[in-house]
Amino acid sequence: MVGLPYDCLANPLGAVRLTFEKAVASGSDPATLDGKDWGAGELFRQFLFDDDGLSQVPMLNQSTIKWVQPNTLVRFRGMIQDMLGNEYYVGAYKDGDMWRTNKFADTSRCPMDASSDMRIWERRLLYCVPIPGQNSWVESSHEAVRNSISPQREKRQREDDATMSDVDMVEPGYALEDSPNPKKMREDGMALEPLGLQKIVAEGNLSTLSLVPDAETNSLPCLVKIYDFPESDLKLNDVFEFVGIFTFDPDLTVDRDDNDELTDNFCEDTLIYLPSTKVPRLHCVVHRKLIGTDFLSNPQLELTPYVIKEVREALLGHLTAVLGNDRVAAQYMLLHLLSRVHARIDSIAVGKLSLNLTCFNKESISVFGNHLKLVMESLLPFTQCLPLTVDYLNTVSLAPKKNYHTNRLECGILQLAEGTHLTIDETSLQTGTLNSKGCENARVLKNMMDSQKVEYDFTYYKMEMAADVQLLILSEGKSNILPADLVLPFRPSSVDSALGVDGEMLKAWRWYLATMKSLPHSIEPHMQKAVEDDLVAARQADRSLGSQEFNGLPWGA
């Protein structure tokens, strides 16, 4: 049996080119393909899922980028932080009598000149970042996958790449006057006309430096290029796993002192000169949206109804110990951890349960607050803590904001992935004056608490983006800034909390929380009627209490 003439893992571009040549040979016209899939996508899906090749694909992150070879298949897990619009590129061109393609590539395999017959295609650009607040145990659960390629495998990859790179590489993305382009290419109202050797760009006047994260951090962003998938499949703040071709030549450099138009525009050619440890690129062949259970390793338990009940009771017991034997607080804490937005009816987010634990002070927060922080980090994949003070509110940017100078969405602290747990510590909040920024931040926080929506600032207007964040407030008294769904006094009777937990039990608790949250939500008619009756009774009680307070009567008189 003759083996395949390419390696989908080590030489995926070989698979792309071969399938393209076969499609053209079978009668497909590159002029009518318009970048649509010609069979390469199906080939990769077969390799990844039918042939179990996904387990062989290394994860791209701050550690693996040091040894992952360019032009190989990688995986990247991240949150879509910004959507940069569309990029136009030379997708197909004629090399003599042979049609060739640049799809899934940054550079052309063969030289192109003014006489070449070209086809301009487009792809979407997503700026993705590591998931905010991702805890270390999520990374460690994928350690085996990251190390699945041995040094010998790396050597063979380099040899395969060398055989595919024996032709001089030239920069793609040039539009020529003679190129058949019947109309101006527009993105967001900007005309992109093919004039001379002017490079095709996605959006004008974008600063490349704004794409580069702080070199001192371990955060590795990734510019993901999307082909062949509906735009509705991908939304801002969604968490995805992208499988695609990692392309970069770390030997390329650029003199930043050159006063060239290239340095003032955001385009593919500019990104080539960024160090690979800053903004790698990934040409996506397959992607999938991730949910909570995708970050877990299955517990070594037979998950029967009886075992699941035992897991729940053990988790409740652990929360009770962490909360100083306050069983009531532990029960509501568990309900809080299981809450999520199931549906939206008008401005109401159905299913959310924000919790305000009161009666904390500086002494108790240092003990129980720290214990809660550690427990949340050990149980949930994404957690964040926010210290609420006047100075903090007056200085930070909670909501994302559009920067029109760089044409980038600047990340705010509240740009979080679905399912993130946010703990807000109010115990250090002192009397002070909020400036305009502080008032705006307080309003944004309150709006998120009320409706699970975050207002993104586009300078000339605000846009509400749906969120699904679990909010826990720790305060001395009932929070006046953040009205929670449930306010509960915290009454510990002990300071001994059993934080040491068996690893398998932790896996079982994580599995329980993630699985129960992911179950479909439905209410039987009789239960719905009971809930409606309770809500009517509660509203009547509130009106009665308000009338008593108005008449100056004491509560309960």
Side-chain angles (χ1 to χ4, degrees):
M1 180 178 178
V2 179
L4 293 174
Y6 50 81
D7 186 334
C8 284
L9 184 62
N11 182 21
L13 288 177
V16 173
R17 290 162 183 157
L18 183 67
T19 53
F20 177 77
E21 290 169 4
K22 285 185 176 180
V24 173
S26 63
S28 297
D29 184 2
T32 60
L33 278 176
D34 195 26
K36 296 182 177 64
D37 182 46
W38 53 75
E42 183 60 34
L43 184 70
F44 282 112
R45 283 189 288 271
Q46 179 182 343
F47 164 72
L48 293 169
F49 305 118
D50 297 343
D51 301 337
D52 198 27
L54 186 62
S55 60
Q56 305 174 46
V57 181
M59 195 76 73
L60 183 67
N61 55 36
Q62 192 72 32
S63 300
T64 60
I65 196 172
K66 300 172 184 177
W67 55 262
V68 170
Q69 296 299 306
N71 299 322
T72 60
L73 212 59
V74 299
R75 288 195 287 168
F76 179 81
R77 287 185 167 188
M79 183 185 80
I80 301 175
Q81 191 273 323
D82 199 1
M83 308 180 87
L84 303 179
N86 290 4
E87 177 186 55
Y88 295 91
Y89 69 104
V90 177
Y93 64 97
K94 229 174 185 182
D95 177 26
D97 295 330
M98 177 74 71
W99 277 98
R100 301 189 185 277
T101 182
N102 291 325
K103 192 174 181 180
F104 302 110
D106 293 325
T107 55
S108 176
R109 187 184 176 204
C110 301
M112 295 181 293
D113 54 38
S115 62
S116 297
D117 191 3
M118 300 179 183
R119 294 295 179 268
I120 304 299
W121 297 346
E122 63 180 306
R123 50 198 176 196
R124 280 181 292 146
L125 303 180
L126 304 177
Y127 184 69
C128 301
V129 297
I131 307 163
Q134 179 171 293
N135 290 310
S136 57
W137 62 263
V138 177
E139 287 289 331
S140 62
S141 66
H142 300 291
E143 196 66 37
V145 175
R146 291 197 199 106
N147 298 327
S148 61
I149 297 184
S150 64
Q152 289 78 13
R153 176 67 172 173
E154 294 176 49
K155 180 179 179 182
R156 188 166 72 86
Q157 288 178 356
R158 289 192 291 270
E159 292 172 349
D160 291 341
D161 293 337
T163 62
M164 292 301 298
S165 305
D166 54 356
V167 180
D168 291 337
M169 307 295 273
V170 300
E171 293 182 359
Y174 288 95
L176 305 175
E177 289 181 345
D178 296 332
S179 177
N181 188 19
K183 63 180 180 179
K184 295 179 180 180
M185 295 173 288
R186 296 181 179 269
E187 174 61 22
D188 296 332
M190 181 186 70
L192 300 176
E193 298 184 88
L195 302 175
L197 291 178
Q198 182 179 357
K199 291 181 176 64
I200 297 173
V201 298
E203 297 183 22
N205 198 29
L206 291 182
S207 168
T208 59
L209 296 181
S210 66
L211 289 174
V212 184
D214 188 346
E216 299 300 321
T217 68
N218 290 323
S219 175
L220 180 73
C222 186
L223 185 71
V224 179
K225 305 198 173 187
I226 299 295
Y227 307 79
D228 306 324
F229 299 109
E231 196 166 341
S232 59
D233 286 358
L234 302 152
K235 295 186 297 182
L236 203 65
N237 304 333
D238 279 350
V239 175
F240 273 84
E241 179 176 76
F242 299 98
V243 181
I245 301 170
F246 167 65
T247 59
F248 197 82
D249 187 348
D251 296 329
L252 285 176
T253 57
V254 65
D255 185 359
R256 300 298 300 178
D257 295 330
D258 289 346
N259 293 322
D260 183 55
E261 183 182 358
L262 177 64
T263 61
D264 295 326
N265 290 288
F266 174 84
C267 62
E268 175 53 33
D269 305 284
T270 307
L271 292 176
I272 288 177
Y273 300 99
L274 290 174
S276 59
T277 54
K278 296 290 186 180
V279 186
R281 280 82 44 75
L282 186 147
H283 296 260
C284 180
V285 296
V286 173
H287 71 262
R288 66 185 181 107
K289 186 177 179 180
L290 301 179
I291 59 175
T293 52
D294 292 316
F295 298 92
L296 307 178
S297 54
N298 292 327
Q300 302 298 318
L301 295 172
E302 185 181 357
L303 298 172
T304 62
Y306 175 76
V307 171
I308 293 174
K309 183 179 179 181
E310 283 192 332
V311 169
R312 183 187 185 281
E313 288 301 318
L315 175 56
L316 183 59
H318 181 62
L319 292 175
T320 302
V322 169
L323 291 169
N325 290 325
D326 187 341
R327 181 80 174 182
V328 175
Q331 289 174 332
Y332 282 107
M333 181 64 71
L334 182 55
L335 291 177
H336 164 71
L337 294 179
L338 290 172
S339 66
R340 71 176 177 92
V341 177
H342 291 274
R344 295 183 184 272
I345 302 175
D346 297 328
S347 62
I348 300 174
V350 179
K352 72 181 182 72
L353 181 63
S354 53
L355 175 62
N356 182 188
L357 290 182
T358 63
C359 303
F360 276 93
N361 53 40
K362 290 184 178 180
E363 290 74 25
S364 60
I365 196 71
S366 63
V367 178
F368 296 105
N370 186 54
H371 289 170
L372 276 172
K373 177 178 180 292
L374 294 175
V375 167
M376 298 303 169
E377 290 176 350
S378 66
L379 292 176
L380 306 173
F382 321 125
T383 59
Q384 295 273 50
C385 294
L386 192 154
L388 200 65
T389 64
V390 171
D391 288 342
Y392 185 82
L393 288 174
N394 284 340
T395 55
V396 301
S397 296
L398 294 183
K401 183 176 182 179
K402 180 75 172 185
N403 185 328
Y404 286 97
H405 177 68
T406 61
N407 215 10
R408 284 291 317 284
L409 182 65
E410 296 176 347
C411 188
I413 292 173
L414 295 185
Q415 188 174 7
L416 300 171
E418 178 182 313
T420 300
H421 187 277
L422 178 61
T423 301
I424 301 175
D425 178 10
E426 276 195 22
T427 57
S428 298
L429 187 63
Q430 300 293 326
T431 303
T433 302
L434 291 176
N435 58 24
S436 58
K437 188 171 189 175
C439 291
E440 179 65 16
N441 281 331
R443 191 185 64 80
V444 168
L445 268 175
K446 183 178 183 300
N447 187 56
M448 184 180 186
M449 180 77 71
D450 288 339
S451 61
Q452 282 291 319
K453 292 182 179 179
V454 178
E455 282 190 348
Y456 285 37
D457 186 358
F458 287 86
T459 304
Y460 309 107
Y461 63 94
K462 302 291 180 66
M463 179 179 290
E464 285 189 335
M465 300 291 291
D468 189 358
V469 177
Q470 297 171 323
L471 291 156
L472 171 66
I473 303 97
L474 308 178
S475 58
E476 186 174 351
K478 179 182 177 181
S479 175
N480 293 321
I481 300 178
L482 304 173
D485 298 316
L486 178 63
V487 180
L488 187 70
F490 175 51
R491 296 191 174 95
S493 59
S494 170
V495 295
D496 299 326
S497 51
L499 293 178
V501 181
D502 175 73
E504 285 302 317
M505 185 56 71
L506 264 179
K507 289 181 182 179
W509 291 344
R510 293 166 185 163
W511 174 89
Y512 173 80
L513 291 173
T515 304
M516 296 302 110
K517 283 176 63 176
S518 66
L519 293 178
H521 171 73
S522 62
I523 301 179
E524 297 296 329
H526 69 280
M527 182 60 69
Q528 184 173 349
K529 180 66 168 58
V531 171
E532 290 174 354
D533 292 342
D534 288 345
L535 288 174
V536 171
R539 181 170 296 181
Q540 290 174 345
D542 288 342
R543 288 176 178 174
S544 176
L545 178 60
S547 176
Q548 291 177 7
E549 290 177 343
F550 179 77
N551 292 320
L553 296 175
W555 189 348

